[in-house]
Amino acid sequence: MFLAYLISILILAAIGIILAVSLQLTVGFTGLLNLGHLAFYAIGAYTSALLALAGYPFWFCILTAGVLAMFFGFLISLPINKIKKDYLALATMGFSFVVYAVLLNWTDLTNGPLGLAGIPRPQLFGFDFSQNSNFLLLVAIIALASYLIIKLITISPFGRVLESIRDNELAAKILGKNTFKMKMCAMGASAFFAGVAGSLYAYYITYLDPSSADIMQLIPFLAIVIIGGLGSLEGTVVAAIVLTFLPEPLRFIGFPSSIIGAARQVIYALFLLLILIFKPKGFYGKVKLE
Amino acid sequence: MIFAQLFANGLIAGAIYSLVALGFSLIYSTCNFIDFAHGVTVAVGAYLLYFFFSLLGLNFWLSVILTIIFTGLFGLLLNIVVFKELRRRKASNLILLTASFALLIIFESLILILFGADVKTIGYIQVSRGLDILGAIITPLQIIIIIVSFLLLVIFFFFMKKSKIGKAMRAVSDNKDVAEIVGISAERIYNWSFFIGSAVAGIGGILVGLDQNLVPTMGTGLMIKGFAAAIIGGIGSPIGAVLGSYLLGFGENFGIWYLPSGYKDAIAFVILFIFLLLRPQGILGKKK
Amino acid sequence: MINLEIKKLNKHFGGVKAVDDCSFEIEKGSITALIGPNGAGKSTVFNLISGIIEADSGNIVFSDRDIVGLSPDKISNLGFSRIFQASSLFDNLTVENNLFLAFDNEDTKFWKNLLGFNKATKIKKEKVKEMLDLVDMEKFRKNPAGDLSFGQKRLIELIRAIINPHSILMLDEPVAGVSPRLREKISKILLKLKEEGETILLIEHDMDFTLNMADKVIVMEKGIVIAEGSPEHIKNNRKVLEAYLGE
């Protein structure tokens, strides 16, 4: 009983790690305040769910989910060069709203607010992942792979250019870097992994509705990125695990379920706010926020 | 006639957005960061009216006045407790923005915890039969919304042009350093901006609350529209913010001539995206 | 040989003409200094050349090509390198990484870097060491650039600009605010670069520094070029003395 509960939280933590480290790539490493991360996640989740329901194999669904999310990541970064940094936050947040509206209203495709039910658990090379314990293994492997790829990006000279854009974009341009292309790549790569995370979530939860794209749900991941420390992937992983477990005791205190969700948001957001004020480098970050 | 009805709906939407856009534009131009908490300020306004009028049973006009004052104070409090503290620590405008996003979530969730997630109605004005004007059905309240919004804009412009505080606000938004040299305290102006901007948002919340239902997340959508309107109109220009609001209101309402009404939010964003791509400085904004 | 030619360049901000019908030429292998009082439009000229702001009218011709309207990164890649008046180091990166960024643009290729085909070569490492030795800062190699002192930052910016491939080096007040000892050091470096045949365009307020260093001096006032010629010529120009040296 407790083990099953633990496994279900660990699965969510692993999916959270993928989402958070990919968000870190844009926010922490490139300095792009991307508030549309959950839109990419939802695009991935729905793409994957629809394909899986149509009978396509797991590897195809998860890759298509990532690629389609990446495509939207590229699309959303088209005006990135002309707008001020804080407008990007607004544009990406607006994008999140649009995706939510489309998921809710394109009923022929998404089944609207009723959502998509009966998403099959994946099968791969003859393995069946319908057991949560097996599924945890699959998610953990993909989370590890995502982490390593993003780590590889950030420690490579490519990541160094991303960081230079975060620190001083004009100086990076003056050294000859095509910062527009770089920012687009960062957004695309970040969206790809968000799409992958969405795909895994759809497979895990087996039932999907538009609330996965709700902008409110972004706050835990934004909190993880800032609390873990901008520019620190290790900190992000630790924060993702801690913050997934942190509000769990609320479940046992006996709050009505409608309040638990809101209370959880308050805890995350309050934690984020206190970190911003009192420990702006986060717990593991090296990067100053100024 | 459909055209007249869509036109009227556009007018009402524009009137509401302009109240949100105006407050946002004021705070953005003086304090220089995007304040996402402005969204929840609208909801705070609506729920305060619900609290004073429907729960406490106070006189309606007294409730309205209390609501406007308390919403203004709410904004002021956020500025003093959170933003001022962050500025003192030399936080960048992106950090202020992130903090305001956290505040948005905190207060939306608190409203939900305190009042519940179910839809609330204030119910002061009984649902009355709409008036038929040139084929469009408009309720008396909606006419009041348009008039109040218009009056408020006029007052706002006079305030910014003539009053001492209004002039000081424009000085700070033009150039903070120069303003401080001539003896204007920027922090004091930030306080005023938050108080006035939030009070205006509170009035927006009251009007929306009377016209529609109350849900805790009601402010976020309005905020996105209001911000988009301010950017479309040209940040820092109050006239631009109003123009942008009506453009957005009409754009959305004529847009659903072709699309299902659920796509309203999407239309606003597409208009914003086109502007960011082709004319990021907005209609009236100056190119840098 | 003429390397860069500015022709009738104009730029106004609101009602102010920051650069007014500016024309001058820069010879290859020489040091050209741009001087003038504050607000004369010198930095604006630099920003116009770098493509950070776009000219209202006029041409900037570099090896037979008009570069007006190109983006800063394209202009940089054509052969321009510069430092700014204010520090433009990447504060959260190490000194060494600030320098590695300057070599080429191979690091902007996603797959090549991800798959590990863009390792720091021995040549690059040696160049970094050589440049750090030149300014005696080898021991700060691993420090975050943001932690350096003002003078140290200027030195790193200077060598970063030198590493960045270029045919024209543009220096916006390289010795402003640094100690006399450091100024000596920087002027030695610049003279050495000149010996090696570098083309340098310089903005500087320090008259002694400028007049000792430059082959040609261009004097600007209120956006207009009021005089140009050798340092000797400029020292004795009455107009210049009135506008600038008089006080």
Side-chain angles (χ1 to χ4, degrees):
Chain A
M1 174 60 198
F2 180 72
L3 192 64
Y5 166 69
L6 190 65
I7 286 174
S8 71
I9 297 176
L10 283 174
I11 290 173
L12 289 177
I15 294 174
I17 286 172
I18 304 176
L19 258 179
V21 293
S22 54
L23 185 61
Q24 186 68 266
L25 185 65
T26 41
V27 178
F29 284 91
T30 322
L32 301 170
L33 194 42
N34 165 18
L35 299 182
H37 208 53
L38 283 186
F40 304 126
Y41 173 71
I43 288 169
Y46 269 85
T47 306
S48 175
L50 288 167
L51 289 173
L53 285 168
Y56 286 93
F58 172 72
W59 63 269
F60 179 78
C61 296
I62 194 168
L63 280 180
T64 314
V67 170
L68 198 70
M70 180 172 73
F71 168 78
F72 279 100
F74 286 142
L75 191 73
I76 201 74
S77 31
L78 281 181
I80 223 170
N81 240 17
K82 293 185 182 172
I83 59 181
K84 294 208 287 181
K85 271 187 170 176
D86 46 359
Y87 282 20
L88 181 73
L90 200 55
T92 46
M93 192 191 201
F95 177 66
S96 236
F97 256 66
V98 173
V99 170
Y100 185 71
V102 170
L103 293 179
L104 208 58
N105 290 290
W106 194 355
T107 40
D108 293 343
L109 186 73
T110 65
N111 208 17
L114 296 175
L116 300 169
I119 301 160
R121 279 291 175 84
Q123 286 189 326
L124 200 62
F125 312 123
F127 285 105
D128 183 10
F129 293 100
S130 49
Q131 286 279 323
N132 270 1
S133 48
N134 291 351
F135 192 78
L136 175 61
L137 190 68
L138 179 71
V139 176
I141 290 170
I142 296 175
L144 184 66
S146 305
Y147 171 82
L148 289 177
I149 292 170
I150 290 172
K151 183 79 190 171
L152 213 55
I153 294 175
T154 58
I155 60 172
S156 77
F158 187 88
R160 192 163 62 201
V161 183
L162 293 180
E163 290 199 77
S164 77
I165 292 171
R166 175 198 61 210
D167 283 4
N168 191 332
E169 185 174 355
L170 184 59
K173 279 187 185 162
I174 289 297
L175 290 180
K177 310 299 178 197
N178 183 345
T179 57
F180 175 57
K181 193 199 100 182
M182 294 299 293
K183 288 190 282 187
M184 230 171 155
C185 276
M187 281 295 280
S190 167
F192 175 86
F193 287 105
V196 166
S199 168
L200 288 171
Y201 179 73
Y203 274 114
Y204 167 64
I205 209 81
T206 70
Y207 163 76
L208 207 57
D209 71 8
S211 67
S212 59
D214 187 354
I215 185 84
M216 287 269 237
Q217 306 298 329
L218 179 67
I219 204 75
F221 300 102
L222 204 56
I224 288 167
V225 164
I226 304 242
I227 291 166
L230 292 183
S232 163
L233 289 179
E234 294 76 13
T236 309
V237 171
V238 174
I241 295 168
V242 171
L243 262 71
T244 309
F245 278 93
L246 186 71
E248 282 305 313
L250 285 179
R251 249 186 240 274
F252 305 110
I253 296 174
F255 281 133
S257 64
S258 65
I259 286 183
I260 286 182
R264 198 199 295 250
Q265 300 294 353
V266 173
I267 291 176
Y268 283 133
L270 210 55
F271 206 19
L272 172 58
L273 201 58
L274 292 174
I275 291 283
L276 285 176
I277 296 176
F278 296 108
K279 203 166 169 54
K281 273 187 177 182
F283 283 106
Y284 292 86
K286 297 173 285 287
V287 177
K288 281 194 194 118
L289 296 169
E290 285 151 35
Chain B
M1 234 183 101
I2 290 183
F3 180 84
Q5 187 63 54
L6 291 178
F7 185 84
N9 292 351
L11 212 56
I12 297 158
I16 290 172
Y17 298 161
S18 63
L19 290 176
V20 182
L22 214 56
F24 163 70
S25 183
L26 177 69
I27 294 173
Y28 186 80
S29 58
T30 52
C31 306
N32 207 13
F33 73 95
I34 292 183
D35 175 29
F36 280 120
H38 200 66
V40 80
T41 309
V42 177
V44 165
Y47 273 88
L48 275 176
L49 183 67
Y50 174 78
F51 176 73
F52 289 130
F53 177 69
S54 308
L55 291 186
L56 294 188
L58 297 182
N59 169 282
F60 178 74
W61 293 107
L62 178 66
S63 306
V64 167
I65 291 167
L66 285 177
T67 300
I68 295 172
I69 293 171
F70 275 95
T71 322
L73 289 177
F74 172 74
L76 183 64
L77 196 71
L78 292 189
N79 182 47
I80 291 173
V81 173
V82 178
F83 299 125
K84 191 177 172 185
E85 200 55 37
L86 282 168
R87 271 194 298 268
R88 207 166 59 78
R89 290 159 200 264
K90 307 229 179 306
S92 69
N93 59 351
L94 286 185
I95 295 309
L96 292 167
L97 185 157
T98 311
S100 74
F101 184 65
L103 288 171
L104 168 75
I105 304 292
I106 290 175
F107 284 98
E108 268 190 3
S109 306
L110 282 179
I111 291 176
L112 191 146
I113 291 170
L114 291 174
F115 291 92
D118 52 324
V119 171
K120 299 274 187 295
T121 44
I122 290 173
Y124 169 67
I125 298 166
Q126 296 305 318
V127 180
S128 54
R129 231 172 57 82
L131 306 171
D132 191 322
I133 300 172
L134 298 172
I137 310 290
I138 306 181
T139 66
L141 176 70
Q142 289 172 331
I143 295 173
I144 293 173
I145 289 178
I146 294 169
I147 293 171
V148 168
S149 158
F150 182 76
L151 278 179
L152 218 61
L153 300 182
V154 174
I155 295 170
F156 187 80
F157 287 126
F158 270 101
F159 176 77
M160 289 305 278
K161 280 259 185 290
K162 302 287 176 196
S163 78
K164 214 174 147 188
I165 295 166
K167 282 177 189 165
M169 278 176 176
R170 285 193 294 147
V172 170
S173 80
D174 278 349
N175 192 327
K176 188 193 141 214
D177 297 330
V178 173
E180 292 211 305
I181 289 168
V182 299
I184 299 169
S185 152
E187 281 299 335
R188 208 170 77 94
I189 292 306
Y190 296 156
N191 283 343
W192 275 107
S193 305
F194 266 91
F195 181 75
I196 295 170
S198 302
V200 173
I203 297 173
I206 292 173
L207 295 174
V208 179
L210 290 172
D211 187 41
Q212 299 159 11
N213 298 322
L214 276 62
V215 281
T217 53
M218 63 187 285
T220 316
L222 280 172
M223 170 191 74
I224 292 276
K225 309 285 180 62
F227 290 8
I231 288 174
I232 290 169
I235 269 294
S237 154
I239 300 179
V242 176
L243 263 178
S245 300
Y246 282 96
L247 182 75
L248 211 59
F250 286 125
E252 275 181 0
N253 283 289
F254 284 105
I256 55 170
W257 206 331
Y258 304 98
L259 286 167
S261 62
Y263 287 115
K264 248 186 182 178
D265 290 346
I267 293 169
F269 177 74
V270 170
I271 297 175
L272 172 66
F273 197 74
I274 290 170
F275 264 89
L276 288 181
L277 212 50
L278 301 180
R279 198 179 161 81
Q281 74 273 29
I283 301 172
L284 294 183
K286 286 185 201 80
K287 200 170 177 180
K288 285 229 183 77
Chain C
M1 210 173 92
I2 291 162
N3 203 358
L4 180 73
E5 197 179 356
I6 311 285
K7 289 185 195 164
K8 292 189 174 299
L9 205 59
N10 280 289
K11 178 72 196 177
H12 70 93
F13 296 114
V16 185
K17 275 232 144 198
V19 174
D20 191 354
D21 241 6
C22 222
S23 298
F24 60 85
E25 290 157 3
I26 291 169
E27 296 273 341
K28 213 177 172 87
S30 70
I31 296 185
T32 308
L34 210 53
I35 66 169
N38 270 330
K42 305 174 306 271
S43 287
T44 309
V45 169
F46 260 42
N47 288 342
L48 287 166
I49 297 173
S50 304
I52 295 168
I53 50 178
E54 203 175 319
D56 299 333
S57 66
N59 309 93
I60 301 169
V61 181
F62 173 68
S63 37
D64 298 327
R65 183 172 176 190
D66 189 0
I67 60 169
V68 170
L70 296 182
S71 60
D73 49 314
K74 287 215 179 87
I75 289 174
S76 163
N77 292 331
L78 284 175
F80 289 84
S81 186
R82 73 172 280 189
I83 65 168
F84 291 88
Q85 227 171 318
S87 168
S88 68
L89 290 179
F90 308 117
D91 284 347
N92 293 301
L93 297 181
T94 60
V95 166
E96 182 179 65
N97 276 336
N98 266 277
L99 299 178
F100 275 125
L101 274 159
F103 281 99
D104 52 37
N105 295 325
E106 290 305 298
D107 50 9
T108 61
K109 294 174 179 161
F110 183 77
W111 291 108
K112 185 176 177 183
N113 287 284
L114 187 62
L115 301 175
F117 292 122
N118 186 26
K119 295 266 185 282
T121 57
K122 213 175 159 203
I123 301 169
K124 284 184 188 173
K125 282 179 186 160
E126 273 167 11
K127 181 78 183 169
V128 165
K129 190 176 175 331
E130 179 198 323
M131 294 312 282
L132 284 171
D133 283 339
L134 180 70
V135 294
D136 294 327
M137 284 187 62
E138 165 70 18
K139 62 173 178 286
F140 296 101
R141 201 160 62 92
K142 294 279 182 196
N143 289 34
D147 295 352
L148 299 179
S149 73
F150 178 79
Q152 290 171 326
K153 281 185 183 170
R154 289 315 268 175
L155 287 173
I156 297 299
E157 279 185 271
L158 181 64
I159 62 174
R160 189 176 74 180
I162 296 170
I163 292 173
N164 189 215
H166 61 274
S167 43
I168 294 185
L169 188 59
M170 296 164 51
L171 306 174
D172 196 343
E173 303 201 14
V175 297
V178 304
S179 68
R181 208 173 56 82
L182 200 54
R183 179 181 322 177
E184 200 54 38
K185 200 167 173 178
I186 292 177
S187 72
K188 265 189 196 141
I189 294 171
L190 295 188
L191 286 171
K192 183 171 159 269
L193 289 175
K194 189 181 153 188
E195 264 171 41
E196 290 165 4
E198 285 260 20
T199 312
I200 297 174
L201 179 58
L202 180 76
I203 295 179
E204 191 47 69
H205 270 292
D206 186 324
M207 288 308 291
D208 289 337
F209 180 87
T210 314
L211 295 178
N212 285 331
M213 187 80 56
D215 299 303
K216 176 172 151 186
V217 178
I218 295 163
V219 189
M220 288 184 74
E221 195 200 4
K222 292 179 184 154
I224 304 169
V225 174
I226 56 167
E228 67 173 289
S230 67
E232 292 307 311
H233 172 81
I234 294 298
K235 265 183 206 166
N236 303 317
N237 186 318
R238 223 168 52 84
K239 233 163 122 189
V240 176
L241 293 173
E242 276 170 18
Y244 185 48
L245 306 173
E247 297 122 23

